[in-house]
Structures are given as structure tokens and as C-alpha cells.
Amino acid sequence: MKKRNLVLVIFLFFSILSFSQRGVIKGRVYNEKTNQPLEFANILIQGTNIGSTSDLDGNFIFAGIDPGFIRLVVSTLGFETTVSPEIQVQGNQTTFIDISLKESTVALQEVTVRQNLNVKKIESPLSVLSIGVQEIEKSAGANRDVSKVVQALPGVGATDPNRNDLIVRGGGPSENVFYLDGIEIPVINHFATQGSSGGSVGVINPDFVREINFYTGAFPANRGNALSSVMEIKQKDGSKDRIHSKLSVGASDAALTLDGPVGKKSTFIVSARQSYLQFLFKAIGLPFLPTYNDFQVKYKYKINEKNEISFIGIGAIDDLVLNTELQTTGTEAQKYLLSYLPVYKQWNYTVGAVYKHFATSHYDTWVLSRNMLRNANFKYQDNDESKPKTQDYTSDEAENKIRFERTYPDLPIKLSYGAGLKYSHYTNTTFRQFFVNGSVFNLNYNTEINLFGYQAFAQASDEYFDDKLRLSLGVNFTGINYNKNMSNPLNQFSPRLSASYSIADNLDLNGNVGRYTLQPAYTTLGFKNSSGDFVNKNENLKYTVSNQAILGLEFRPMEKVKLSVEGFYKQYENYPVSVADGLSIASKGTNFGQVGDEEIVSVGKGRAYGLEFLTKIMEMEKLNVTATYTFFRSEFTDSAGINYFRSSWDTRHLLNLIASYKFPKSWNVAIRWRFVGGAPYSPIDSISYVRAAWNVTNQPYLDYKKFNTLSLPNSHQLDVRVDKEFYFKKWVLNLYADVQNVYNFKTQGVPIYTNLDENGAVISDPDGDPAKQGLRTIDSFGGTILPTIGLIIKI
């Protein structure tokens, strides 16, 4: 009873101290084309009558604003009405934001404000959604992880609740690209899968994020090498008033973020995060113990009104060791995992600079960057370091890139164009065993390649019939000097056309058709066989091609309500097919390690198609509701290109129900319920019963003739998060509790096969063949209640 009373006293104390603390918003309104300040612009807090006006330098201020998440609506004569990214207002804190306005293409007296205040870019009128700060900070079950938040969008699936693979509209996890302030970052997850884009935990610090624009189709021409999605992450600038610090402590890691001014013309924001997940995993008896660290920095310098430059950096260090104590005390499932999981060691970084120059009629963007990934994994026989290694893999891939873009926003048409160059360096040292034709062979090779890549792009857009019809045509050419086919950019010609017609002020019909291309993974380009030959360096290896068509309707019955439906069809050509398996590698890349390091021929075909439905209610009486449903099919062929097989993520149904409500006194409650159809899986091949074959991998071999012909049951999960913020004179405290899988649903996984009996002895072959063995199955169920308690302190 005394402890309960003490907790109550502490809670009341915090509540009294934090009562009625309010925040400040400061910002600047400027011309997007010239970077000149816009005076006398009207700025409103969306959904209210609270307003402000910019001064002669374009600056504005709001004071006494209640804590929460808001957007600003900015309007002035001669410019398009613009809605800002979402802003988080906190008590006794100042939030800074700069807002750019586009010049209007119609006469001043004809300027009207359409009901849709979140108009998409003309280049991509559909298949793009914006994610604000609130969704990142407060979403249930996401733990402030950008990739986890994106998985709740329409058309986006995942292969495993514990992984961050993005499966977008039936495409593979290698078909996505990511940009941070215009700089491409190949890796956004810890323990990334080389040759793909998945991982286990996001690297991006949410404290840096201003807004995310996520494209699931209709990609702009300046964003190449994407077949399924483009993620544009816009970062905040550092605070302009003073140095701020933010400490975040959760169940798996702790992070420290600092930001502030460096003189009058520049700002910075920097962070570091350290995990302690290995201690939690060991305490609950998991067979693997991961540790991760990451770092992020941004420095922005405003040279003058016409020139500015930003420098960014992001990096991660990941280690995963095995909990070998469980080899004697663990369960059968734990021992099975220990028998084949290797030790992983990985690090990566991206550094770059973005220079912008604003001229009278256009603006230029120069982007210079370097990124590198080192991926290493190895395994000792029986996990005993005194015995030989059964696999040993170390690979480096580094890219140096430069890109130029020029944009003319107010010619008779909007025009942008640019080009880019890329120099790549890839090395690989591999030793592993494989079983073929009844014998065990060693694959042992070293490789080093240097490649030059190039691209050029242009996009032209215009509006017709009093802005009711909006058209945009884009083209992209790309190439790499690996073979003759891929060296010719005409073979990778990538046109796209978008159209949007306003049937009424609140109803739009949108469409897009396009052809998109994807370069093969470096693991494929650099692969050698046992003889040391580059077996993929021939004209059989090509860019993967995807021809896509999208049609959608968007209806806005009220300012804060949006309903949409979109249908899509994606047809694949030249998809990489494994020579060894005779099957598309599309279904690979959802495990740790690497994918694509094998002999490949680009003869596969594929198709993905479906329907997406979205209902979104935004900040209606402090309530946010999102409901998404996607029905889709995803299939890829074998090497013959005739028979289609279900991809490993062809779950067919994706349903998300998400809601949040802001209660008085800075309480916030969020929930998410997710339903996923049953994933396909494959029966095992008879070769799995051969002892020599089993000893190579300690896993069964799949029957590729019956690939993904079996299905698991459907799965679902409920997540709940509760936040409470306390505002003090000079600092803010946010306490939260997040519970994943509230009702403890057990998801059935693919059956586990073991060659050991209950006593740990190898199972004899029923027919007495000493070269063979017996196998038995172990039920595999995942899912447990996962509570998390955390705190965030901002000073």
C-alpha cells in the first residue's frame, strides 16, 4: 500500500508541475524557386482559426500553442497554397520549420484554394503517402522504427514480424530504394541482407525525421533502380535558438541526440545509439545475441540567400553471436537454430553533401556521396572454434556517386532534368560447402571488381483545362559497364506517364504507366565458381525490368477524411533465376546474410497484381483512424519461364486497423490490429535424408518442383501503446508503454525438421541404409506478449 501511495504522489507531482505548459513555433516562408523570403504570407494552424503573418524577412511566430501534432497552411497571392509537414509542439520548447511555396501558374484573380490541402506532386498523383512525425513517434508496435511504420501502409507487407523487409505490391525486398535528404542510402536496417534491403532494426533515428514520402508506384524519373518502392526521408534542421539534448531509453537500446546552432548561418544535429538487446535475449533464452550501434549527423550551412549546403552521415555497427550455452540446455528448436546459424559481423556507412543554388528562373542541386557495406559471417563445425570452419564469408561493396539536377518550376511547362555517375568497388572472399550429384564440394574464391555506372533523366509536367487535367512525362536511362547489354543505356530505357483528372473539387481520377529497371546485385556481378571464373559475366545477365500500370480514385468527403482505391498490375522480365535451383531468386533475400551470390541467368518472368483500399481520418476531434486493405497475388516463374510459382510473401490479404486518440493532460493512446493471410511454403526434397547432404547445411533441402505449394494458417496481432508527456520549465519528459501481441496470438511457422531424436541421437534410416537418416518434425510457433516501457527526455 505504501508503494502504491508513493507512486500516486509522484504522478500527481509531475501532473501539477506540467500543467498548462505551452510551446512556440518559429519559421520562415520562402519562394521555392529563388529562396527569397515571402512577406505578408498568411499562416494558419490547420483546422483552427489561429493565424500569423510573415514579416519582411519571411519570418513568423506562433506562441502559446498547446502541445500536440499540427500542420501549418500557408497562402499568399501568386503562390500555391501549401501545407507544411507535421510539426510536434512541446511545452516550453521552440519548434523551427521553413516552408517553401511554389509560384502559381494562373492569374492572381483566379487563384482558388482546393479542398484537398495535401495535393500530391504532379509527377506522382497516386501511389504515394506521407508519414508525419506523429505516426513515427506514437504508432503502436513500431517502437519508433521507420520501416515498421511503413509496413502499415496499403500494399506493404512483411515476411516476419521480427524483420523489416518491405514487400511492396508483391515485389521482392531487393526492389526498394531509400533517400535521405536526396542522398541514396542502400542500408536502412541493422543486420541487413546484402543484395536485398531487409534487416531486423531500423538505423534511421526518428529524432531526425521531418517527413517521409513513400512511393509504391509512379516513381519520379530522377529516382532510378526501383521496381517496388521509393522512400524519401526528409530530415529536420538543427534548432536555431540554443543547444538541445534528447535522451531516449527503451527496452532494447538507448540513444542521445544533440542539436542546435553553429553561429548565425548554420545548424547541426547529431546522435548515437547503443543497444543492450543481447542481455534481454540471453535472459529469455534465445539462441542468438545481437548487438547494434548507430550514428547519425547533419550539418547545414546557409552560405547566402542563393546558396546553401548540407552534409549528412549515417552508419551502423552490428554483431551477432551465438548463445552456445543452449547447445546442452536448450530446447530442440533452440538447438536446431544453433546448428545452422552463423556468427554475423557487419558495418556500413553513408556520407554525402547536398549543394543547392537558387537562380532567377531555376534551381540546381548537386549531390556527392559515398556508401560502404562490409558483411561478414562464419561458422565453426559444431560451433567449436577448435574445429574447422564450415563457412566463411567477407564482402565489401562501396559506391561513390555524383548527381546533378536542374528544375525550372515556371516555364510554360514544369521541367527538370539531370544526370549522375557512379563508381563501384566490390570484393568478396568466400568459403562454403555445397552438395551436388551425391558429393560434397568446396566453393572457395576471391573476387574484386570495379564498375562505372551512369544515368540521365528528365521530367516534364503541365496542367490543362483550368488545372483539372495534370500530366507528367518522365524518362530515365541507366547503364553499367559490366557487359555489352547492360552498358547500353537504351536497353534500360525507362519511360513513365502520370495523369490526374479532377472530376470534382473532392474527387480525382489518377493513373500511371511506366517501365522501370533494376541493376543486378553486386553479389551476383562478383560471383565466381570453383574454377575462379566470373560465370555471370556474360550476356545472359541483364537489368530486371518491370512494366507497371496503376489506376485509382481518391475521394475527400471532408477536409480531414480521405477515401481511396487503387488497382495495380506489375509484369516482370529478365528476373534473375538461380541456375542451381532452377527458380527465381525473388523469394530469397528475406533471411540474414546475403542473396545473389550464385550463378544466375536473367530469364525469369513474374507478375503481381491487386487492389488497395484506404480510409483515413486525420485529427478529427483529436481522433486519428486509418484502415487499409490489400488483396494481391505475387508469382514468379522457373528457368523455363512458363510455370508460375507463388512468391514466399504471396499472403494475398493484408489488413491494418490503426487508431489513436489524444486525451486531456497530454495522454495519447494508439492501437494497431494487423491481419495477414497465410504465407506459402515448400515441402522438403528427398536429398534431405542423405547424411552427407544434411551435414553441409544442418537444414533440409526444398523440393523446388513443388515450390510454395503448401500454405500456413492466417495470422493476426494487436498492439497497444500509451504515452504520457510531462512539461516542465526547461525540459520535457515522455513516458510510454508499448505492448505487442496483446492477446498472445501464436503464429504457426514452417515446420522444423531435425535429424535427432528426443535424446539427441541421429535418427537411423528405416531401411538401414548407413548413408541415410530419418527426420522428424518439430512444431514451430512464434509470437509472445512483448511489453516495452521507455522514456524520452528533451532538454
Side-chain angles (χ1 to χ4, degrees):
M1 181 64 71
K2 289 183 178 179
K3 290 183 178 180
R4 187 182 301 173
N5 291 336
L6 178 60
V7 171
L8 181 61
V9 170
I10 293 174
F11 175 78
L12 290 174
F13 173 73
F14 279 136
S15 297
I16 293 171
L17 286 180
S18 62
F19 181 71
S20 72
Q21 305 293 343
R22 297 184 175 184
V24 175
I25 304 171
K26 290 184 178 180
R28 173 177 173 263
V29 181
Y30 64 96
N31 186 319
E32 179 189 64
K33 179 181 69 176
T34 65
N35 204 34
Q36 295 287 334
L38 295 178
E39 59 187 28
F40 308 127
N42 298 311
I43 306 103
L44 281 174
I45 296 178
Q46 190 176 29
T48 75
N49 294 321
I50 302 173
S52 182
T53 304
S54 61
D55 62 19
L56 296 176
D57 297 318
N59 297 319
F60 65 88
I61 184 172
F62 288 90
I65 304 302
D66 289 332
F69 296 89
I70 66 168
R71 295 180 187 268
L72 301 178
V73 182
V74 186
S75 61
T76 190
L77 287 176
F79 291 83
E80 295 181 7
T81 297
T82 300
V83 179
S84 76
E86 198 168 46
I87 306 166
Q88 183 177 15
V89 180
Q90 294 184 312
N92 291 319
Q93 300 284 324
T94 300
T95 302
F96 295 89
I97 184 169
D98 292 343
I99 305 171
S100 62
L101 268 59
K102 296 180 181 179
E103 293 183 11
S104 177
T105 57
V106 297
L108 296 186
Q109 65 270 21
E110 298 174 354
V111 172
T112 59
V113 179
R114 296 181 62 194
Q115 184 177 357
N116 179 18
L117 295 179
N118 293 301
V119 178
K120 299 181 181 70
K121 292 183 177 180
I122 190 172
E123 298 87 353
S124 305
L126 78 172
S127 301
V128 57
L129 287 173
S130 294
I131 301 174
V133 180
Q134 182 173 5
E135 291 176 85
I136 299 170
E137 292 284 346
K138 306 296 185 183
S139 288
N143 199 26
R144 303 175 76 228
D145 189 323
V146 167
S147 295
K148 287 283 194 297
V149 174
V150 169
Q151 287 176 353
L153 297 179
V156 183
T159 57
D160 186 312
N162 300 313
R163 282 183 59 87
N164 281 358
D165 302 295
L166 294 180
I167 307 301
V168 182
R169 288 184 168 174
S174 62
E175 301 176 14
N176 312 298
V177 296
F178 312 95
Y179 287 83
L180 190 65
D181 282 349
I183 294 176
E184 185 176 357
I185 50 171
V187 179
I188 67 164
N189 291 301
H190 290 285
F191 305 102
T193 303
Q194 187 180 11
S196 186
S197 64
S200 58
V201 180
V203 174
I204 303 295
N205 184 344
D207 295 333
F208 279 66
V209 178
R210 170 70 72 195
E211 187 178 47
I212 298 173
N213 290 320
F214 190 73
Y215 299 79
T216 57
F219 311 126
N222 63 346
R223 297 295 183 251
N225 218 40
L227 303 183
S228 283
S229 78
V230 175
M231 184 188 294
E232 292 266 15
I233 305 170
K234 298 179 181 179
Q235 296 188 108
K236 302 174 184 175
D237 297 332
S239 298
K240 299 177 182 179
D241 57 343
R242 60 180 177 87
I243 301 294
H244 294 263
S245 60
K246 189 173 184 178
L247 174 67
S248 303
V249 179
S252 59
D253 55 50
L256 177 64
T257 303
L258 300 174
D259 74 291
V262 183
K264 294 182 178 180
K265 292 187 175 183
S266 60
T267 61
F268 79 96
I269 178 169
V270 61
S271 74
R273 179 167 57 167
Q274 167 73 57
S275 80
Y276 33 80
L277 196 60
Q278 70 275 24
F279 302 115
L280 175 63
F281 277 29
K282 189 168 186 177
I284 62 179
L286 292 180
F288 47 89
L289 307 175
T291 304
Y292 58 86
N293 303 272
D294 55 57
F295 316 90
Q296 196 167 340
V297 63
K298 176 181 180 180
Y299 173 81
K300 184 175 181 180
Y301 177 61
K302 185 177 179 181
I303 303 169
N304 51 46
E305 254 184 12
K306 294 293 184 180
N307 301 275
E308 63 184 37
I309 189 168
S310 296
F311 300 91
I312 74 161
I314 185 169
I317 303 172
D318 306 324
D319 289 289
L320 185 147
V321 298
L322 302 179
N323 188 1
T324 54
E325 296 176 3
L326 297 177
Q327 285 190 223
T328 55
T329 62
T331 65
E332 288 183 312
Q334 291 169 336
K335 292 177 182 179
Y336 169 73
L337 289 172
L338 286 171
S339 70
Y340 73 86
L341 279 178
V343 173
Y344 291 99
K345 293 185 178 296
Q346 189 178 98
W347 56 261
N348 68 83
Y349 68 83
T350 299
V351 294
V354 180
Y355 168 72
K356 291 187 176 182
H357 170 70
F358 300 89
T360 303
S361 60
H362 65 271
Y363 57 89
D364 296 337
T365 303
W366 289 89
V367 180
L368 180 67
S369 67
R370 173 179 170 83
N371 56 265
M372 181 173 178
L373 166 70
R374 171 164 293 175
N375 183 35
N377 54 77
F378 57 87
K379 189 168 186 65
Y380 289 94
Q381 182 180 338
D382 299 326
N383 298 320
D384 186 346
E385 295 186 10
S386 64
K387 295 182 178 181
K389 288 181 178 178
T390 58
Q391 71 177 72
D392 194 358
Y393 177 95
T394 301
S395 176
D396 290 354
E397 56 182 63
E399 296 177 319
N400 301 279
K401 303 173 186 175
I402 185 170
R403 188 177 79 250
F404 168 74
E405 298 181 23
R406 172 166 289 184
T407 301
Y408 292 89
D410 56 359
L411 292 175
I413 60 172
K414 179 183 178 182
L415 175 66
S416 62
Y417 61 86
L421 296 173
K422 174 175 67 175
Y423 168 70
S424 307
H425 179 71
Y426 175 80
T427 64
N428 190 321
T429 302
T430 290
F431 167 75
R432 69 171 181 262
Q433 296 178 320
F434 61 97
F435 185 86
V436 63
N437 296 327
S439 300
V440 177
F441 295 88
N442 292 333
L443 177 64
N444 198 340
Y445 73 88
N446 294 284
T447 189
E448 181 176 4
I449 57 174
N450 298 291
L451 298 168
F452 286 94
Y454 33 87
Q455 67 164 328
F457 50 85
Q459 189 123 19
S461 311
D462 202 5
E463 299 175 340
Y464 306 91
F465 307 118
D466 296 327
D467 296 346
K468 288 183 177 295
L469 177 64
R470 311 173 85 208
L471 298 177
S472 184
L473 175 65
V475 293
N476 184 291
F477 299 87
T478 187
I480 191 170
N481 68 331
Y482 185 77
N483 58 22
K484 290 183 180 179
N485 185 287
M486 292 193 288
S487 296
N488 184 355
L490 293 178
N491 293 332
Q492 290 78 242
F493 174 57
S494 177
R496 71 265 343 248
L497 174 67
S498 293
S500 178
Y501 185 76
S502 179
I503 301 172
D505 285 345
N506 61 354
L507 180 63
D508 292 336
L509 175 64
N510 307 305
N512 172 270
V513 291
R515 182 179 191 264
Y516 309 100
T517 61
L518 173 67
Q519 175 192 306
Y522 290 111
T523 51
T524 299
L525 300 176
F527 176 74
K528 288 183 178 180
N529 61 12
S530 301
S531 303
D533 300 322
F534 285 104
V535 293
N536 294 325
K537 197 166 186 178
N538 52 58
E539 300 308 312
N540 292 324
L541 189 65
K542 305 175 183 178
Y543 275 71
T544 304
V545 174
S546 179
N547 300 301
Q548 303 183 15
I550 313 166
L551 185 65
L553 273 173
E554 181 177 304
F555 177 53
R556 301 170 298 278
M558 294 181 285
E559 181 178 335
K560 297 183 178 182
V561 178
K562 181 172 75 172
L563 309 173
S564 68
V565 57
E566 292 187 12
F568 62 89
Y569 185 86
K570 300 163 69 172
Q571 181 259 334
Y572 291 92
E573 301 171 358
N574 305 337
Y575 218 98
V577 172
S578 167
V579 172
D581 303 333
L583 210 65
S584 170
I585 68 168
S587 291
K588 300 182 180 182
T590 57
N591 294 314
F592 296 103
Q594 57 279 340
V595 64
D597 55 331
E598 57 182 308
E599 186 175 356
I600 293 293
V601 288
S602 299
V603 297
K605 298 178 182 178
R607 60 193 180 198
Y609 51 91
L611 281 173
E612 298 171 356
F613 299 89
L614 168 68
T615 300
K616 195 173 185 68
I617 301 173
M618 299 163 282
E619 293 293 337
M620 183 173 288
E621 300 296 331
K622 301 182 180 180
L623 174 68
N624 289 280
V625 176
T626 301
T628 69
Y629 171 71
T630 304
F631 171 78
F632 73 101
R633 295 296 306 271
S634 175
E635 303 167 322
F636 294 86
T637 69
D638 55 12
S639 56
I642 298 174
N643 299 317
Y644 281 86
F645 296 85
R646 294 176 67 186
S647 69
S648 294
W649 48 82
D650 182 37
T651 58
R652 303 190 180 180
H653 302 280
L654 298 170
L655 174 64
N656 286 282
L657 301 176
I658 304 167
S660 67
Y661 187 81
K662 183 181 177 183
F663 290 90
K665 298 184 179 180
S666 301
W667 285 91
N668 191 86
V669 177
I671 62 171
R672 180 179 75 168
W673 187 74
R674 183 175 180 86
F675 174 90
V676 180
Y681 71 100
S682 306
I684 65 172
D685 193 274
S686 58
I687 196 177
S688 305
Y689 294 90
V690 178
R691 292 196 181 198
W694 179 276
N695 291 336
V696 171
T697 62
N698 288 316
Q699 291 180 277
Y701 295 77
L702 301 182
D703 184 349
Y704 289 106
K705 294 181 180 179
K706 299 178 180 178
F707 185 73
N708 282 346
T709 54
L710 304 175
S711 292
L712 295 170
N714 302 330
S715 63
H716 46 85
Q717 178 173 309
L718 174 66
D719 305 324
V720 177
R721 175 172 171 137
V722 179
D723 284 77
K724 168 62 179 173
E725 294 181 345
F726 301 93
Y727 301 103
F728 303 94
K729 188 173 182 180
K730 293 185 178 180
W731 61 289
V732 177
L733 171 65
N734 180 19
L735 301 177
Y736 67 88
D738 188 293
V739 182
Q740 299 180 38
N741 197 18
V742 171
Y743 49 76
N744 199 26
F745 180 82
K746 299 297 182 181
T747 302
Q748 183 175 332
V750 176
I752 294 174
Y753 289 84
T754 179
N755 66 336
L756 304 177
D757 61 20
E758 290 84 350
N759 299 317
V762 176
I763 302 172
S764 299
D765 177 60
D767 298 326
D769 188 342
K772 293 186 177 181
Q773 63 186 0
L775 296 176
R776 67 186 179 92
T777 59
I778 303 171
D779 288 336
S780 174
F781 287 91
T784 185
I785 298 176
L786 184 60
T788 299
I789 298 176
L791 64 87
I792 302 172
I793 299 173
K794 183 175 181 181
I795 302 175

